Amino acid sequence: MKNTQATIRDLALKLNISISTVSRALRNAPDVNPETKKAVLALAEQLHYEPNRVAQSLRIKKTKTIGVVVPQIAMHFFSSVISGIQEYAAQHGYSIMICQSLESLDTEKSNIHMLVSNRVDGLLISLSSETTNVEHLEHLLAKKIPIVLFDRITDALPVSKVVVDDHDGAFTAVDYLIRTGCHRIAYIGGPEGLSISNQRLQGYRDALQKHGLPLLPDYIVHCTDLQHGATDATRRLLDLPGRPDAIFCMNDPMAILAMQVLRERGVRIPDDISLVGFTDEPVSRFIEPALTTVAQPAYTMGQAAARLFIGQVEQPDNFTPRQEVLPTELIVRGTTRRL
Amino acid sequence: MKNTQATIRDLALKLNISISTVSRALRNAPDVNPETKKAVLALAEQLHYEPNRVAQSLRIKKTKTIGVVVPQIAMHFFSSVISGIQEYAAQHGYSIMICQSLESLDTEKSNIHMLVSNRVDGLLISLSSETTNVEHLEHLLAKKIPIVLFDRITDALPVSKVVVDDHDGAFTAVDYLIRTGCHRIAYIGGPEGLSISNQRLQGYRDALQKHGLPLLPDYIVHCTDLQHGATDATRRLLDLPGRPDAIFCMNDPMAILAMQVLRERGVRIPDDISLVGFTDEPVSRFIEPALTTVAQPAYTMGQAAARLFIGQVEQPDNFTPRQEVLPTELIVRGTTRRL
DNA sequence: AACGGTGCCGGAAACGTTCTCGAACATCAA
DNA sequence: TTGATGTTCGAGAACGTTTCCGGCACCGTT
């Protein structure tokens, strides 16, 4: 009894045929006798033979593995994206290898090194909030390693990307706020370099402009700390001489932090201040009052990223970078006034 | 200019030394001249050489990769566990490959095949709710493939396991319910074969018994559909002649479904019926009323599973299966009466 | 001068596949 | 009989490493 995995060689020996023939039989090649083929397949079944993907990969120089880097696995948005990636990938014979950058550029780099060492066929990346310089990604492109960016993207790279329509989502949300009677609307965003934050900021700006409202620098706050920065930001906004009557936050966790500060200070929502988030985390519909937010299709984004990637590696000839923009949807709940 | 990854051979050629020497230099072997070593490392740096893990794996018969199978990535509990696994693994030089069974036994099997084909060094598994028969896992053990089970485990396998103290968590929760004056307590659980559901059921039973309360079969409902079954289950409980005055649910999502049914029917929480969940999802503290629940340390569980696994593969000599039981904590919130 | 030890290095096999080339044989038509 | 064609198969190289084994040069000791 062998206590190890059977190899193609074991099959060949036992059947008294050559390794090449076994290989052909397993891959259903045309030039092999149907009888031999049947014998090989039967024995493979019997010995629980599993082809050694490591050896295959070395030989054919493809691993059928996709490297995925996200800032934080345990965020609902990202785990949903991953779920979409994983399902699409599995359906097309790909495995996925996952890393989290934890919003650190250094960790992102070392993640990527690890994945490249593992010779993944390419990378699906959502950038850390620290990542403003993308030299490490340019190196990969120089080595012809395909990359698809999603959600947290950069314009500096000629690769396929999939995002939600951040500008439009923000524009719609802020437009809605204005139409419910808010005129002093603040924005709490992420660090300056973060693509999604800037896109959403631009949507906010354009909505104000459309309605002829002034753009006050004091009303725009950038948080470098994505986890807790929103608390301070909200406090600062409340202490302003002209207190805002609405706050639009870059994402739901920030909006929830803001909500807690507002509650602390006895500010009524939405009567005194309206609040809008982004993402539609599962929490948001259950919180009191339920959070008005911009929903983004996370699972679909994952599928799209995987689809673009596999399309690129399986038909490299007619490939050009493509940017896919997914629609968002404003979900009106209790933190905004009625129209 | 090469448009492909540099190999050890490229380094050797360029430095006019042998492949063996380069290999030794890179692995910091003792029997290589410090000067040569320096030259090799310098050139490696310059050419952005990354060792080919695929070739290494084939040669040394270890991939330094852990296969992970969970029912559903996009559940907060599991994504937290994965986060813990990933971090611990990365710190110890391991990559992780992730699959989701989507609560299907067939998918679980094909996931495992894929991972085994990739020659992962072993598997970290949380069983699907459909998995009652574990022959497919016994096959792996016969092939000496290490397995560590977490959360959704089975007693049928002599492998390391990490769970939370489901019995104790349930016992504490139900004991608390009784001490707040509830006497007709129902349990909504998962399918019959699900380890965590049965453990929690036993904790529930023992708490009732401790207080001399009767065990009514009508008060115990098993849901095969983990996603939506709790809705029907709650309706059935409410229609019972002797309506319960408390419901203990196997997890938070089920408790939230139950809560919605209660609200629909105009039942007051906790005055008419108390409600307790399990897991402490992020939602649970924000929902109104905030859900009393049993918190489990998901991230720690992931770390522990990875730790047990790596311990097993790196010191196989003194290995014996170990079961690690993590403590839970009852978080009292608004869905239960005060003591 | 011969010897053993040490430091450094190269050759070559092996890991489990895929794939190209060509061999061996049968069949068939001329 | 010859040559052409087709079917089935095997030999062997290659993918990029690691590692065993042995070789050479140099040193100090006897």
Side-chain angles (χ1 to χ4, degrees):
Chain A
M1 215 67 200
K2 339 223 351 172
N3 63 356
T4 172
Q5 302 270 89
T7 77
I8 219 175
R9 194 160 173 277
D10 297 331
L11 303 188
L13 248 48
K14 196 155 290 188
L15 291 173
N16 250 326
I17 57 180
S18 81
I19 290 179
S20 334
T21 305
V22 177
S23 173
R24 272 189 292 257
L26 290 172
R27 279 172 306 109
N28 212 359
D31 57 343
V32 44
N33 189 317
E35 305 242 337
T36 357
K37 189 179 299 183
K38 217 162 59 186
V40 170
L41 292 179
L43 186 63
E45 175 79 10
Q46 184 197 326
L47 297 188
H48 299 112
Y49 169 79
E50 302 266 3
N52 186 328
R53 284 245 210 173
V54 176
Q56 285 181 329
S57 300
L58 180 62
R59 176 62 233 242
I60 68 181
K61 291 166 155 288
K62 290 225 174 318
T63 52
K64 285 266 193 178
T65 299
I66 310 176
V68 179
V69 184
V70 295
Q72 168 77 272
I73 294 173
M75 277 182 57
H76 184 262
F77 174 74
F78 286 118
S79 64
S80 298
V81 175
I82 293 174
S83 179
I85 295 173
Q86 199 278 327
E87 249 186 276
Y88 190 92
Q91 282 160 10
H92 292 76
Y94 282 77
S95 309
I96 67 174
M97 219 169 229
I98 295 190
C99 295
Q100 45 189 345
S101 64
L102 302 172
E103 307 286 9
S104 146
L105 175 57
D106 283 340
T107 315
E108 181 175 297
K109 284 184 186 169
S110 82
N111 284 338
I112 291 176
H113 274 128
M114 191 162 211
L115 294 170
V116 170
S117 265
N118 276 297
R119 293 299 188 271
V120 293
D121 290 346
L123 292 163
L124 266 42
I125 308 180
S126 191
L127 301 174
S128 93
S129 58
E130 262 185 36
T131 305
T132 51
N133 180 318
V134 291
E135 274 181 27
H136 57 306
L137 299 181
E138 284 162 356
H139 281 132
L140 299 185
L141 290 183
K143 291 193 194 177
K144 310 278 182 215
I145 298 177
I147 299 179
V148 172
L149 294 174
F150 60 92
D151 192 51
R152 310 260 203 96
I153 68 172
T154 171
D155 289 335
L157 252 30
V159 301
S160 285
K161 296 157 199 167
V162 29
V163 289
V164 298
D165 197 336
D166 288 298
H167 178 280
D168 181 71
F171 182 90
T172 307
V174 175
D175 181 70
Y176 179 81
L177 282 172
I178 298 172
R179 288 188 291 123
T180 62
C182 298
H183 292 94
R184 300 189 309 282
I185 304 174
Y187 173 69
I188 302 183
E192 309 266 355
L194 195 59
S195 62
I196 51 172
S197 179
N198 293 336
Q199 288 292 315
R200 291 169 196 178
L201 177 55
Q202 196 53 49
Y204 158 90
R205 282 203 182 105
D206 292 347
L208 293 188
Q209 190 174 13
K210 170 187 165 194
H211 291 272
L213 293 176
L215 202 66
L216 304 181
D218 280 351
Y219 278 6
I220 297 176
V221 192
H222 289 280
C223 305
T224 35
D225 180 0
L226 279 181
Q227 308 294 324
H228 308 99
T231 304
D232 275 353
T234 311
R235 294 210 180 101
R236 246 175 301 150
L237 287 174
L238 291 183
D239 292 340
L240 243 40
R243 196 169 87 173
D245 58 7
I247 303 178
F248 172 49
C249 293
M250 193 198 81
N251 64 25
D252 284 4
M254 287 177 145
I256 290 172
L257 287 180
M259 194 184 290
Q260 287 170 339
V261 173
L262 295 184
R263 204 173 287 162
E264 247 169 64
R265 297 281 187 103
V267 177
R268 291 170 306 163
I269 310 171
D271 310 79
D272 298 333
I273 292 188
S274 294
L275 199 58
V276 176
F278 211 109
T279 300
D280 193 25
E281 301 265 342
V283 181
S284 307
R285 49 187 294 240
F286 290 114
I287 200 168
E288 262 298 310
L291 181 66
T292 296
T293 187
V294 180
Q296 24 183 8
Y299 180 85
T300 311
M301 178 179 283
Q303 298 244 339
R307 176 167 40 74
L308 285 176
F309 177 83
I310 293 179
Q312 173 173 355
V313 296
E314 309 219 322
Q315 290 132 30
D317 32 324
N318 62 358
F319 164 74
T320 47
R322 193 193 338 252
Q323 175 154 342
E324 219 156 281
V325 179
L326 272 31
T328 61
E329 187 191 357
L330 179 66
I331 314 260
V332 176
R333 297 205 183 99
T335 57
T336 45
R337 311 184 206 159
R338 294 275 143 211
L339 263 187
Chain B
M1 214 68 198
K2 338 221 357 172
N3 64 355
T4 172
Q5 302 270 87
T7 77
I8 218 175
R9 194 159 172 278
D10 298 330
L11 302 188
L13 248 48
K14 196 155 292 189
L15 290 174
N16 251 327
I17 57 180
S18 80
I19 290 178
S20 338
T21 305
V22 177
S23 173
R24 273 189 293 256
L26 290 172
R27 278 172 309 109
N28 212 358
D31 56 342
V32 43
N33 189 316
E35 304 243 337
T36 352
K37 191 179 297 184
K38 217 162 58 184
V40 170
L41 292 180
L43 186 63
E45 176 78 9
Q46 184 198 326
L47 298 187
H48 299 113
Y49 168 79
E50 302 267 1
N52 185 329
R53 284 245 210 173
V54 176
Q56 284 181 329
S57 300
L58 180 62
R59 176 60 231 242
I60 68 181
K61 291 168 154 286
K62 291 226 175 316
T63 52
K64 286 266 192 178
T65 299
I66 310 176
V68 179
V69 184
V70 296
Q72 168 77 270
I73 294 173
M75 277 181 60
H76 184 262
F77 174 75
F78 286 117
S79 64
S80 298
V81 175
I82 292 174
S83 180
I85 294 173
Q86 199 277 326
E87 248 185 277
Y88 191 92
Q91 281 160 10
H92 292 76
Y94 281 78
S95 309
I96 68 173
M97 220 170 228
I98 295 190
C99 294
Q100 46 190 344
S101 64
L102 303 172
E103 307 286 8
S104 145
L105 174 57
D106 283 340
T107 315
E108 181 175 297
K109 284 184 187 170
S110 82
N111 284 337
I112 291 176
H113 274 128
M114 191 162 210
L115 294 170
V116 169
S117 266
N118 276 295
R119 293 297 187 272
V120 293
D121 290 345
L123 292 162
L124 266 41
I125 308 180
S126 191
L127 301 174
S128 93
S129 58
E130 261 185 36
T131 305
T132 50
N133 181 317
V134 290
E135 274 181 28
H136 56 306
L137 299 181
E138 284 162 356
H139 280 131
L140 299 184
L141 290 184
K143 291 193 193 176
K144 311 276 182 215
I145 298 177
I147 299 178
V148 172
L149 294 174
F150 61 92
D151 192 51
R152 311 260 203 99
I153 67 171
T154 172
D155 289 334
L157 252 30
V159 301
S160 284
K161 296 156 198 168
V162 29
V163 288
V164 298
D165 197 336
D166 289 297
H167 179 280
D168 181 70
F171 182 88
T172 308
V174 175
D175 181 69
Y176 179 82
L177 283 171
I178 298 172
R179 289 188 290 122
T180 62
C182 299
H183 292 95
R184 299 188 310 281
I185 304 174
Y187 173 69
I188 302 183
E192 310 265 354
L194 196 59
S195 62
I196 51 172
S197 179
N198 294 334
Q199 289 292 315
R200 291 170 196 178
L201 178 55
Q202 195 53 47
Y204 159 89
R205 283 202 182 107
D206 291 347
L208 293 188
Q209 191 175 10
K210 170 189 166 194
H211 291 272
L213 292 176
L215 202 67
L216 304 181
D218 280 351
Y219 278 6
I220 297 175
V221 192
H222 290 279
C223 305
T224 35
D225 179 0
L226 279 181
Q227 308 293 326
H228 307 99
T231 303
D232 275 353
T234 311
R235 294 211 179 101
R236 247 175 301 148
L237 286 173
L238 291 182
D239 293 340
L240 243 39
R243 197 169 88 172
D245 57 7
I247 303 178
F248 171 49
C249 294
M250 192 198 81
N251 64 25
D252 283 5
M254 286 175 145
I256 290 172
L257 287 180
M259 194 185 290
Q260 286 170 339
V261 173
L262 295 184
R263 203 172 287 161
E264 245 171 65
R265 297 279 188 102
V267 177
R268 291 170 308 163
I269 309 171
D271 310 79
D272 298 334
I273 293 189
S274 294
L275 199 57
V276 176
F278 210 109
T279 301
D280 193 25
E281 300 266 343
V283 182
S284 307
R285 50 186 294 239
F286 290 113
I287 198 168
E288 261 299 308
L291 181 65
T292 296
T293 187
V294 180
Q296 27 182 7
Y299 180 84
T300 311
M301 179 179 283
Q303 297 244 337
R307 177 166 39 75
L308 285 175
F309 177 83
I310 293 179
Q312 172 173 355
V313 296
E314 310 220 320
Q315 290 132 30
D317 33 323
N318 62 359
F319 164 74
T320 46
R322 192 193 339 254
Q323 175 153 343
E324 220 157 279
V325 179
L326 304 175
T328 60
E329 187 190 357
L330 179 66
I331 314 261
V332 177
R333 297 203 185 100
T335 56
T336 45
R337 311 183 206 162
R338 293 276 144 209
L339 264 187

